[in-house]
Amino acid sequence: DDLVALGYLHEPAVLHSLRRRFLEAKAIYTYCGIILVAINPYEPLPIYEEEVIYAYSGRNMGDMDPHIFALAEEAYKQMVSSRPLIISGESGAGKTASAKYAMRYFTAVGGCLGDSSMEEKVLASSPVMEAFGNAKTTRNDNSSRFGRYIEIGFSQARVTGATIKTYLLEKSRVTFQAKAERNYHIFYQLCASATLPELRGLALSWLSAGHSHPSGLCDAGGQTSAGRGAWAVPHACAVPAGVPEADQLELFSVLAAILHLGNIVVRGRDRRSVPLQPADEALGLFCTLLGIEALQVTRWLCHRKLVTAGETYLKPLSRQQALDSRDALAKYMYGQVFRWMVSRVNRSLRSLEGHRTSIGILDIYGFEMFELNSFEQFCINYANEKLQQLFNLHVFKREQEEYVTEEIPWVFIDFCDNQPCIELIEGRLGILDLLNEECKMPQGSDGSWAQKLYQTHLGSSHFQKPKRPTDAFVVCHFASKVEYQCDGFVEKNRDAVPEELVGLLRASKSALLAELFLEEGDGPVSLQSRRSSGPRMAGRPSRRSLPSSQKSKKSISSQFKASLNRLMEMLGSTTPHYIRCIKPNDGKQPFVFDSRRAVEQLRACGVLETIRISASGYPSRWTYQEFLERYRALLSREELMGTDEKQICSLALERLLQDPSKYQCGKSKVFFRAGQVAYLEELWYRRLRAACTVLQRHLRGWLARRRFGRARAAAV
């Protein structure tokens, strides 16, 4: 049940044990010290029913088979000392499902205090978040494209409410999806409901007829087949989130407007765009749904306002800049909708009485490495570096606490510290520092930033420059080397949106739009052009030509770093439980185990590092009673005459192992170096075999003598 208790602690033994448990015993859960390894079976299993929940309720870890309910029960019993669950793994490994099972356990065992519907609200929040934050990828049909921390509040051991904090929504998916991937579920669910009478005014059938822009805002080929499950009708998403019925149609209008925005066509050559035609059907639908003027939208999609020392004038944008302006607005609008939905969900889960204790569930993205890696993968892997450092500290802290409690002398070895990699990313003149500086430059570009990276960090052991002549860089993470393409880093980090267009949305008569775009403290900013053009832009523009809001707005990486540091500070003050979800194969086939893929993930999520740390100390620990019950056959008659369990074990081990460095006797346990339990098992097996041989010898002799006696009696 626990990999740390294996006789031999090395990679092949761990992999063999997991493989046998998964394929032969159909056991998807295995302990590894403070980690619960969960392998995705890719088929429903009857191990999450209500009777299973109550079977684990009140039991100690180790009393029953490894299970996420066992870990949830430990967190529930120790909620006063704050024991959050940290769930991580690759996309498709089962993180979201594990988080839902944990939430279900807490609401079932804890029940609800006062508001009997709170349990249903907490459980119903997951499908809402999935509709707006999950999408189909090549690895997972229901991939979470954001991180979340769910804090479930308790009072008198009863559920009183919950709070959800989100991290780094992948907004770029709104305007672009890779081959065989899709946009967020809510768009397809909305299009699947296009024929409903109340939604006909959104003109979604116009999209279904094939009018879909190549940017991929709405995949016309998959609209009707997506989201036909429990959430095919988008009303089901809005009700649990506490969205009033009067606001639901406005919410759907904003989502439909984002789809129509992607179909607005910008014509012209690369250096100069052609003003949009007011007769453009997508433009008309976008403006009608949001209640704004088409002429103003046309103007600010194709121009940018520049303010210099003495005058203000309009600069025409190139076709590519106009397309970037359109896509930036779409991403900004969806980001605001997502934030608004999260705030609505939190409002519906808020408890009037408050809570005394809480249990947190962190459902965070795992380490990512694709063929093409961009800004999103960099931020995700940065978060995993921070979590891995926290994990290493907790493993050593747990080891040290037990050795101190048992009064065992042990010198800690050096472990694989990833602080140099973290310094490379977030330190002074690190990757993020240089990126933010580049974003402040009016003519900042990905290529210029890449050259600054090469000049500053080529001497670092964790930074490399690819051999290919492209703007890219390699970071040596704790899990693996990852090559990142610089293209898009500066634009995504700026997260700039057309200030004038956002001003139009704020001036809309829609109360929901006003709430959406006035909620965030930092104002939106003007989109920065990638190229300089126009007769009055011959020289390099000064910083004064940038809107003041852009100078003060924090970049995406700065916001993410600040929220990540707050999360690490909170987790660092607790002792978390870790759930590492493993994807057994890339084909999503039930109970098929790909050893190569499994070992890659075991390395990336720290399981093998835990094994290495344990192997460096005393990984096998037995209480004196357990040792005597197991190895009584190895004890001599004189040793069995003793009355003190510790003294008996000490004398026996001194005779059996002979080398005092191979074991240590603590106050209540005996600690063994790696491989010593396997040696004792071999001695135990030999002793039993020898005893069996003696028994067989005497039995066979007795049988032979009896046969001989009978034969002699018959002859005489």
Side-chain angles (χ1 to χ4, degrees), residues 261-317:
L261 177 60
N263 288 290
I264 295 177
V265 179
V266 180
R267 297 181 176 85
R269 298 179 180 178
D270 289 339
R271 296 188 61 83
R272 186 67 59 87
S273 64
V274 175
L276 302 178
Q277 299 299 320
D280 186 299
E281 190 169 359
L283 175 64
L285 291 170
F286 173 77
C287 297
T288 301
L289 289 172
L290 299 182
I292 55 181
E293 295 183 21
L295 288 176
Q296 291 294 321
V297 174
T298 301
R299 181 184 188 188
W300 295 118
L301 273 179
C302 298
H303 297 83
R304 188 183 67 175
K305 182 170 68 174
L306 295 178
V307 181
T308 58
E311 58 183 319
T312 300
Y313 61 96
L314 297 182
K315 174 195 170 184
L317 300 180

Side-chain angles (χ1 to χ4, degrees), residues 431-504:
I431 295 175
L432 293 181
D433 206 354
L434 293 175
L435 178 61
N436 289 329
E437 283 298 317
E438 190 67 24
C439 290
K440 294 176 183 177
M441 303 297 293
Q443 295 296 315
S445 66
D446 298 317
S448 174
W449 173 61
Q451 294 305 315
K452 292 177 182 177
L453 287 179
Y454 301 150
Q455 294 171 10
T456 309
H457 296 296
L458 270 183
S460 171
S461 59
H462 288 77
F463 183 91
Q464 296 176 4
K465 179 181 179 182
K467 295 181 180 179
R468 293 176 296 173
T470 58
D471 288 336
F473 62 96
V474 176
V475 175
C476 302
H477 291 286
F478 72 94
S480 179
K481 293 181 180 179
V482 181
E483 180 178 323
Y484 299 98
Q485 283 67 41
C486 295
D487 184 36
F489 263 74
V490 172
E491 180 185 341
K492 291 176 181 178
N493 190 48
R494 280 176 178 153
D495 195 34
V497 291
E499 186 180 54
E500 295 78 17
L501 286 172
V502 175
L504 291 177

Side-chain angles (χ1 to χ4, degrees), residues 576-648:
H577 294 287
Y578 291 89
I579 301 172
R580 303 306 203 199
C581 299
I582 303 297
K583 189 176 183 179
N585 63 83
D586 290 327
K588 307 172 189 175
Q589 301 175 18
F591 286 101
V592 173
F593 193 87
D594 184 340
S595 298
R596 182 186 61 82
R597 288 287 291 116
V599 80
E600 287 175 358
Q601 296 170 76
L602 291 172
R603 289 174 185 151
C605 68
V607 172
L608 296 181
E609 180 67 10
T610 303
I611 295 294
R612 192 187 72 82
I613 292 172
S614 299
S616 67
Y618 299 93
S620 302
R621 298 110 192 247
W622 296 59
T623 65
Y624 292 120
Q625 183 179 356
E626 291 171 342
F627 179 84
L628 293 176
E629 288 177 356
R630 177 64 176 174
Y631 299 115
R632 187 179 183 86
L634 297 178
L635 303 182
S636 65
R637 188 183 300 272
E638 293 77 12
E639 291 163 354
L640 288 172
M641 296 295 291
T643 57
D644 183 62
E645 291 182 340
K646 180 177 179 179
Q647 185 178 9
I648 295 173

Side-chain angles (χ1 to χ4, degrees), residues 66-363:
H67 201 290
I68 191 171
F69 291 163
L71 222 60
E73 173 62 21
E74 283 295 301
Y76 181 73
K77 288 190 296 188
Q78 302 171 12
M79 70 173 74
V80 176
S81 58
S82 187
R83 301 291 299 272
L85 305 180
I86 297 181
I87 306 173
S88 63
E90 279 193 6
S91 178
K95 300 185 298 296
T96 301
S98 296
K100 287 193 286 189
Y101 289 137
M103 291 171 63
R104 183 181 170 195
Y105 184 88
F106 293 136
T107 54
V109 174
C112 292
L113 186 66
D115 187 0
S116 59
S117 65
M118 183 57 70
E119 177 183 346
E120 297 177 2
K121 290 180 181 178
V122 171
L123 295 177
S125 66
S126 289
V128 176
M129 300 305 298
E130 288 177 25
F132 284 85
N134 288 27
K136 178 185 177 182
T137 66
T138 54
R139 296 188 175 186
N140 184 7
D141 291 344
N142 189 35
S143 175
S144 297
R145 307 316 301 162
F146 68 103
R148 60 176 173 170
Y149 182 77
I150 308 164
E151 188 176 20
I152 302 177
F154 292 84
S155 182
Q156 302 175 21
R158 299 293 181 182
V159 176
T160 58
T163 304
I164 300 175
K165 298 177 183 177
T166 61
Y167 302 92
L168 194 68
L169 175 72
E170 187 187 25
K171 291 191 289 187
S172 60
R173 181 168 293 272
V174 177
T175 57
F176 173 79
Q177 305 92 44
K179 185 179 180 181
E181 295 195 355
R182 303 177 76 167
N183 212 320
Y184 289 104
H185 294 330
I186 188 63
F187 289 123
Y188 303 100
Q189 294 162 0
L190 193 65
C191 290
S193 307
T195 57
L196 293 177
E198 57 268 36
L199 299 183
R200 286 177 183 170
L202 305 183
L204 296 172
S205 57
W206 184 77
L207 289 170
S208 302
H211 299 277
S212 182
H213 195 270
S215 64
L217 279 170
C218 189
D219 179 5
Q223 290 163 0
T224 56
S225 62
R228 282 202 178 275
W231 295 88
V233 180
H235 288 282
C237 297
V239 173
V243 180
E245 192 166 343
D247 291 341
Q248 289 180 22
L249 187 57
E250 283 195 79
L251 172 64
F252 302 146
S253 297
V254 174
L255 292 171
I258 295 174
L259 294 177
H260 291 302
L261 177 60
N263 288 290
I264 295 177
V265 179
V266 180
R267 297 181 176 85
R269 298 179 180 178
D270 289 339
R271 296 188 61 83
R272 186 67 59 87
S273 64
V274 175
L276 302 178
Q277 299 299 320
D280 186 299
E281 190 169 359
L283 175 64
L285 291 170
F286 173 77
C287 297
T288 301
L289 289 172
L290 299 182
I292 55 181
E293 295 183 21
L295 288 176
Q296 291 294 321
V297 174
T298 301
R299 181 184 188 188
W300 295 118
L301 273 179
C302 298
H303 297 83
R304 188 183 67 175
K305 182 170 68 174
L306 295 178
V307 181
T308 58
E311 58 183 319
T312 300
Y313 61 96
L314 297 182
K315 174 195 170 184
L317 300 180
S318 68
R319 180 178 182 275
Q320 186 58 50
Q321 289 171 338
L323 291 174
D324 291 342
S325 178
R326 180 201 65 182
D327 292 348
L329 181 62
K331 290 185 287 187
Y332 177 76
M333 289 177 65
Y334 191 76
Q336 293 300 100
V337 169
F338 182 78
R339 289 180 66 254
W340 184 81
M341 285 300 297
V342 173
S343 67
R344 280 287 182 173
V345 169
N346 283 332
R347 193 180 305 177
S348 69
L349 297 179
R350 188 179 303 155
S351 170
L352 297 178
E353 300 89 5
H355 59 265
R356 299 178 182 177
T357 56
S358 63
I359 299 176
I361 303 173
L362 180 64
D363 177 7

